Amino acid sequence: MFTMPAPRVELKNCDDSGAFYDVKFKRNPQGNSLDKFLQKDGKLAACKMLLALRNIIKESVKSMTRTEMKVSVDKKKSGSPAITLSIGTSPMEISVDIILALEVRSSSWPASTQDGLKIEKWLGSKVKQDYKWKPIYLVPKHAKDGRVLKEDTWRISFSHIEKDMIKNHGNTKTCCESNGVKCCRKSCLKLLKHLLELLKAKHGNRRGLDKFCSYHAKTAFFQACVLWPDDKQWLLTDLETCFQKFLDYFLDCLNNAYLTHFFIPTYNLFSRDLIDKASSDFLSKEIKYEINNRFPIFELQN
């Protein structure tokens, strides 16, 4: 994440999800480096800023000498906030996503987050309070209005807090430490992410699997940690049982078309506006097949 501190900003909802915003400056001091990205109506142009960063990165890549590692900038993906670099050569090539993010510090988070982050019984009230004092980030992302994408909108991001919750995931401070009980939370998350990746690789973009991403798995993981907050409910020795329970929860979310954003409960990531029933049903069928046949897709990989 390539972060830029933003002056005091005014956020205005641009849809009903509570996740997407138009951004304006409350006060715009002279000489602000972001002036050139303001539209006539005073809104900060997300697309223009993203394009400027992309051009800077492309020029930097061009200036690299031939003796340095091979680096190229991938083609722009429609609607994606990421600028992807391909580094190295096959079969050792890796991809790195650079995401522009505005760092916004405020005395309070947007109203849409008020009923989110229900971690009191999982990580504790003090941890929640500490998170609430952290800044939020805004990334360039098109809001969807029916079938039309709105340009120059920003989506709120809590990736820094999500990363911390995954790292410090225990109900007790000693969870997974050298002298503590080992849990299988992170293993369950990795398995679901891997399962989704393999199914998407197997079927390509057919049957709507391209609509699903690792963020769905991560969101379901956080919700599951709240449902089962105790470390004893995720013992490493019970990995198979726990993963099955986690998958059952994910399937329920698919079948009910209901997986709320962990920080913004008004934002349903599985709503029919975002993911159609046919795509959800197909993924559900594929996951059930893997469960009933003891995950042959994992064996095929080996």
Side-chain angles (χ1 to χ4, degrees):
M1 187 178 281
F2 181 81
T3 61
M4 294 183 63
R8 292 182 62 194
V9 296
E10 176 186 338
L11 303 181
K12 183 179 179 182
N13 283 303
C14 59
D15 67 358
D16 295 330
S17 71
F20 293 87
Y21 295 87
D22 293 320
V23 177
K24 289 184 177 181
F25 295 133
K26 287 185 176 179
R27 286 195 298 268
N28 190 23
Q30 289 185 349
N32 186 343
S33 60
L34 299 179
D35 276 352
K36 57 187 175 183
F37 301 113
L38 292 178
Q39 299 173 327
K40 291 181 179 179
D41 59 2
K43 293 177 184 176
L44 190 60
C47 292
K48 197 173 180 180
M49 284 189 67
L50 190 59
L51 178 61
L53 178 60
R54 185 178 184 85
N55 288 337
I56 291 171
I57 292 173
K58 288 173 74 173
E59 289 301 316
S60 297
V61 169
K62 285 181 183 179
S63 67
M64 294 177 66
T65 65
R66 293 183 179 180
T67 57
E68 294 178 277
M69 184 176 291
K70 181 183 176 183
V71 180
S72 61
V73 182
D74 291 3
K75 290 182 178 179
K76 181 181 177 182
K77 297 177 183 176
S78 179
S80 172
I83 300 168
T84 303
L85 301 181
S86 293
I87 303 173
T89 55
S90 181
M92 301 298 291
E93 185 180 68
I94 62 171
S95 293
V96 176
D97 285 341
I98 299 174
I99 299 176
L100 172 66
L102 295 178
E103 182 182 273
V104 177
R105 292 187 176 273
S106 176
S107 58
S108 62
W109 288 357
S112 60
T113 66
Q114 185 174 348
D115 295 324
L117 194 61
K118 296 287 189 181
I119 61 172
E120 290 87 348
K121 293 182 179 180
W122 170 31
L123 300 177
S125 299
K126 185 180 183 303
V127 173
K128 179 175 180 176
Q129 186 179 25
D130 291 343
Y131 284 153
K132 286 286 210 173
W133 282 109
K134 291 182 179 292
I136 59 171
Y137 292 92
L138 298 168
V139 299
K141 184 70 176 178
H142 300 327
K144 194 173 182 181
D145 185 7
R147 295 185 178 181
V148 179
L149 293 178
K150 295 181 180 178
E151 292 189 354
D152 289 319
T153 56
W154 300 82
R155 186 185 65 193
I156 193 170
S157 171
F158 298 93
S159 59
H160 55 311
I161 296 175
E162 293 164 353
K163 182 178 179 180
D164 191 78
M165 288 194 298
I166 292 173
K167 180 181 178 182
N168 302 298
H169 54 262
N171 181 242
T172 59
K173 292 182 179 180
T174 58
C175 180
C176 289
E177 292 186 357
S178 57
N179 61 336
V181 176
K182 303 296 186 295
C183 85
C184 64
R185 287 183 181 92
K186 290 172 72 172
S187 296
C188 287
L189 174 58
K190 289 177 181 177
L191 283 169
L192 179 55
K193 282 185 174 181
H194 192 45
L195 177 60
L196 291 177
E197 288 171 0
L198 292 177
L199 289 174
K200 290 170 73 172
K202 176 181 177 181
H203 297 284
N205 290 335
R206 295 173 295 162
R207 312 301 293 269
L209 290 189
D210 59 317
K211 296 181 175 69
F212 298 96
C213 63
S214 62
Y215 195 74
H216 293 131
K218 186 162 64 169
T219 300
F221 168 74
F222 292 139
Q223 302 288 12
C225 287
V226 169
L227 284 174
W228 303 292
D230 199 301
D231 295 344
K232 293 179 182 178
Q233 295 171 299
W234 298 88
L235 292 176
L236 185 58
T237 52
D238 297 331
L239 174 59
E240 184 175 349
T241 302
C242 291
F243 184 51
Q244 178 65 62
K245 181 171 66 173
F246 182 34
L247 278 180
D248 287 341
Y249 171 72
F250 188 75
L251 287 171
D252 283 343
C253 293
L254 279 174
N255 296 333
N256 295 321
Y258 193 72
L259 175 64
T260 59
H261 192 286
F262 193 64
F263 296 80
I264 309 170
T266 54
Y267 186 23
N268 179 12
L269 302 178
F270 279 174
S271 73
R272 290 295 181 230
D273 290 336
L274 297 175
I275 299 177
D276 59 275
K277 188 175 186 300
S279 298
S280 292
D281 288 348
F282 181 73
L283 178 58
S284 178
K285 179 175 73 70
E286 288 297 303
I287 291 176
K288 288 176 181 177
Y289 173 84
E290 295 297 327
I291 292 172
N292 293 334
N293 292 277
R294 300 192 64 80
F295 302 97
I297 200 165
F298 290 151
E299 295 176 9
L300 286 174
Q301 186 194 20
N302 297 328

